[in-house]
Amino acid sequence: MRIILLGPPGAGKGTQAKVLAQELGVAHISTGDILRQNVKEATQLGKEAKDFMDRGLLVPDGLMSKMLQDRFAKSDVKQGFILDGYPRNIAQAKTLEEIFRLKGLDVDLVVYLDSSDSVIIQRLSGRLVCSKCSANYHITNMPPLRQGFCDKCGGSLYQRTDDKVETIKKRLEVYKNEVSDLIKYYSEENKLHRLSADGQAEEVLKEIVVLTKQ
Ligand code: ADP
Ligand code: ZN
């Protein structure tokens, strides 16, 4: 199964992708997670990307293409994948198409998780992320059992530097500028399914699972 998840920041792409990848036995490719790992390790890519990320802007397409090519060179993608956070504009969609063409891959499903601005801001401004396994929590909606620590792996939880209200608004603006083109692009291939992601994570997951079985 090869799935692309589209949707605004805070729609729950990461949360859904992690569970789905495990259930389907496929790779979870989160460009945000890969970038944050690079920032943490202070790699060349991390150094170049950090400032864009902190400002809520897209990391330049050239850097992203290189990153995606490296990721798709790994053998686990042969089992299938869930792509979370890429593509974010038409140039990236075309890069992806080219990577797929070279590898003889095709997408089975594009799920567009839509969410309202108020839900997004509420979710992201209270989000906590595990520094070890990148599991997500929320200060009030989904608090960890032990304050400050991950239920799954015991890692310490932190707030992302781009989860400040001002930066969230910027990320939303950047997202809205690009998304309609992407939706059009994937609609033409008849692979796009839109779901509302404002509800409970478990409910949204059920709806995605139904789509994977069609
Ligand atoms: P969100 O979608 O919630 O904003 P992500 O973790 O997916 O969070 O991404 C965080 C940041 O990483 C983005 O704001 C952007 O700077 C960068 N990023 C992630 N994916 C891409 C991409 N495909 N193209 C450009 N920048 C990206
Ligand atoms: Zn953890």
Side-chain angles (χ1 to χ4, degrees), residues 1-6 27-29 31 64-65 67-74 76-88 90-111 182 185-186 189 191:
M1 199 75 203
R2 307 181 194 106
I3 304 174
I4 295 177
L5 290 183
L6 299 179
H28 172 207
I29 305 180
T31 49
M64 294 306 296
S65 303
M67 197 182 108
L68 251 274
Q69 273 157 12
D70 290 349
R71 184 61 188 85
F72 274 91
K74 295 193 179 164
D76 62 341
V77 299
K78 290 192 196 116
Q79 260 72 55
F81 52 81
I82 298 174
L83 197 46
D84 151 20
Y86 196 98
R88 274 169 138 95
I90 291 294
Q92 294 187 359
K94 292 191 171 146
T95 299
L96 190 63
E97 205 175 273
E98 182 61 11
I99 293 175
F100 286 175
R101 195 182 63 77
L102 291 172
K103 296 205 154 281
L105 297 173
D106 206 357
V107 197
D108 300 305
L109 186 64
V110 181
V111 183
L182 274 182
Y185 185 86
Y186 286 112
E189 297 187 8
K191 285 177 181 157

Side-chain angles (χ1 to χ4, degrees), residues 117-165:
D117 288 8
S118 56
V119 170
I120 290 170
I121 292 171
Q122 199 273 345
R123 282 183 183 164
L124 294 186
S125 56
R127 170 161 72 180
L128 298 168
V129 185
C130 174
S131 54
K132 264 200 205 157
C133 74
S134 76
N136 279 215
Y137 297 86
H138 190 278
I139 293 172
T140 50
N141 306 354
M142 217 203 310
L145 295 172
R146 186 159 66 105
Q147 199 189 332
F149 296 94
C150 179
D151 297 351
K152 300 184 178 81
C153 78
S156 57
L157 304 182
Y158 71 100
Q159 182 173 41
R160 272 170 49 172
T161 50
D162 58 351
D163 279 346
K164 293 191 287 273
V165 174

